[in-house]
Amino acid sequence: QEALEAYRAAERMQQVVRPDDIALSAHIRLTIGGAELRLRNPEAAEAIAREVLAGEPYTEQNVGLSALATARRLLGDSLRNQGRPADAIPHLERAVAEQEQARGPDDQSTIAAMSSLGYLYSLTGDEARRAELQREVYARSVRRWGADNQYTLIELINLGDAERDVGNTERAREHFAAAVAGLEQVAGPDSTVLHAARFSYAGALADTRRYEEALAVARQVDPAKLAASSSDASGHGKLAELRGQILLGLGLEAEGQAELERAGQLLAESS
């Protein structure tokens, strides 16, 4: 919310001091759209993306191809968060191609668009295509920043998720363990991405029947930080659901069922 207010203030200033700078206007509009998406206002984000993609004054000549590709990614992400991943895929496919043309294959904007595209495929049930894309995303991230960079470690979480979804549970567990260890060093204990990594790691430990370890890791997850790690996360509900599954795995039937019932209520409230 503070970021959104700052972006809106910047837009008001730009309209006074640099009203003819169309590229700057597009950049600020898209940052506002990104903040709206994080605040769970995907309709507002979609409207901004479509505004930038509508033509004058936001033409490729005025703002550059990369800005238009960023708008396409925002449009795709906003459609995803409205439950329309299949509609979003063509926009992200084009965004990846345009960013590769404008900035190259290993630029952050290209990598981010490809990562978003992979997630869309997972939402439409094409887990194999998602895993294929995410392996490439991680490889590009390592080339761009190195293995110990926070951005690369985030993409390692995403790779773990992708491998887990295609049944490579042990490989996924290894990726999550490495991501947690790395983020503890570079991001610190209050980092939202660290809590996202711990959540995924606990799930992978449960997948491999290491329930005691899974419960210990799950206890280290702050649900508020988990929710803040994603624009479509329900931290309290997701964590309660995971805890319920782990407790059932430990043979604690009553406690597990109670936690799953609580998770259902929390997820319904957040939907």
Side-chain angles (χ1 to χ4, degrees):
Q1 186 60 48
E2 290 178 331
L4 178 58
E5 291 167 3
Y7 294 145
R8 286 174 173 164
E11 184 171 52
R12 291 192 296 272
M13 294 164 66
Q14 178 262 323
Q15 291 167 352
V16 173
V17 301
R18 296 177 65 177
D20 299 326
D21 193 333
I22 305 304
L24 180 59
S25 173
H27 173 70
I28 295 173
R29 293 298 292 154
L30 292 171
T31 57
I32 290 172
E36 292 282 15
L37 192 67
R38 286 283 178 177
L39 289 168
R40 296 173 176 77
N41 300 321
E43 295 86 358
E46 178 187 357
I48 289 172
R50 292 191 185 280
E51 173 192 347
V52 174
L53 292 168
E56 288 289 350
Y58 302 116
T59 62
E60 182 178 343
Q61 181 177 1
N62 287 338
V63 305
L65 182 60
S66 181
L68 297 182
T70 300
R72 294 191 206 286
R73 182 190 170 203
L74 178 63
L75 176 57
D77 288 347
S78 64
L79 292 172
R80 175 200 72 199
N81 284 14
Q82 294 176 71
R84 299 165 58 189
D87 293 339
I89 284 176
H91 300 294
L92 264 298
E93 293 274 15
R94 186 169 175 183
V96 171
E98 289 179 345
Q99 292 290 20
E100 286 184 331
Q101 179 183 341
R103 294 183 174 271
D106 294 346
D107 187 81
Q108 179 172 350
S109 58
T110 309
I111 294 169
M114 183 176 283
S115 182
S116 290
L117 176 61
Y119 184 45
L120 288 175
Y121 275 111
S122 74
L123 294 176
T124 60
D126 193 344
E127 305 293 358
R129 177 60 175 153
R130 192 268 175 105
E132 178 185 6
L133 283 167
Q134 191 56 40
R135 291 172 193 135
E136 178 64 19
V137 165
Y138 181 67
R140 292 186 185 194
S141 299
V142 172
R143 286 199 302 267
R144 179 73 171 80
W145 295 288
D148 297 328
N149 179 272
Q150 178 170 314
Y151 194 101
T152 305
L153 290 166
I154 291 170
E155 293 300 353
L156 184 58
I157 300 171
N158 293 335
L159 179 57
D161 286 333
E163 296 290 7
R164 186 182 181 191
D165 288 341
V166 294
N168 296 327
T169 54
E170 186 58 31
R171 190 179 305 166
R173 187 196 63 78
E174 292 171 356
H175 289 330
F176 293 136
V180 168
L183 288 167
E184 285 175 343
Q185 294 297 315
V186 303
D190 295 328
S191 167
T192 58
V193 292
L194 173 58
H195 288 266
R198 285 173 174 166
F199 174 79
S200 294
Y201 183 33
L205 285 167
D207 289 345
T208 54
R209 300 182 182 276
R210 304 182 188 192
Y211 296 116
E212 293 285 358
E213 294 176 68
L215 188 59
V217 174
R219 285 174 175 152
Q220 294 180 291
V221 179
D222 183 326
K225 288 185 170 59
L226 176 63
S229 70
S230 171
S231 59
D232 61 351
S234 168
H236 291 274
K238 287 185 174 182
L239 184 57
E241 182 177 39
L242 175 60
R243 281 176 51 83
Q245 292 166 351
I246 293 170
L247 289 168
L248 289 179
L250 288 168
L252 301 173
E253 187 75 22
E255 294 93 329
Q257 288 296 342
E259 195 72 354
L260 288 176
E261 289 177 13
R262 189 171 77 89
Q265 294 173 350
L266 290 168
L267 290 168
E269 291 169 2
S270 66
S271 63

